[in-house]
């Protein structure tokens, strides 16, 4: 399962959601600032969204490359 940690008003978060929906990928979108902050600090990622995929945390760009999207 792909988990996307995002925030309200985030254009990159909306872009990633659109890509995943367009590719018919099943994902969970989590819009919770506390959870986003926790995951981002753990992964040392300073920008939303943060993606959890195959047990690892990625930036949007890293995830898209890793998943071949």
């Amino acid at each position: 399962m792909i988990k996307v940690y995002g925030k309200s008003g985030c254009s990159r978060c909306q872009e990633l959601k659109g890509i995943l929906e367009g590719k018919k990928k099943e994902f969970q979108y989590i819009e919770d600032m506390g959870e986003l902050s926790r995951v981002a600090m753990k992964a040392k990622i300073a920008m939303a969204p943060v993606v959890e995929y195959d047990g690892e945390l990625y930036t949007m760009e890293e995830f898209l490359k890793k998943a071949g999207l």
Side-chain angles (χ1 to χ4, degrees):
M1 168 67 80
I2 300 166
K3 290 185 181 179
V4 178
Y5 298 89
K7 62 182 181 177
S8 178
C10 170
S11 62
R12 290 170 41 84
C13 301
Q14 295 306 313
E15 178 184 355
L16 181 55
K17 282 173 58 176
I19 291 169
L20 292 171
E21 288 166 353
K23 298 285 186 178
K24 307 278 192 252
K25 297 290 184 182
E26 188 175 325
F27 68 99
Q28 179 182 9
Y29 185 76
I30 301 157
E31 192 173 291
D32 178 312
M33 283 304 295
E35 195 66 14
L36 173 60
S37 294
R38 183 188 68 76
V39 171
M41 275 202 300
K42 179 179 175 184
K44 296 183 174 92
I45 295 173
M47 185 183 306
V50 176
V51 183
E52 186 175 337
Y53 178 65
D54 286 342
E56 299 291 328
L57 296 169
Y58 299 96
T59 64
M60 179 175 133
E61 292 77 14
E62 291 169 339
F63 163 72
L64 291 172
K65 185 176 179 180
K66 173 84 174 172
L69 303 174

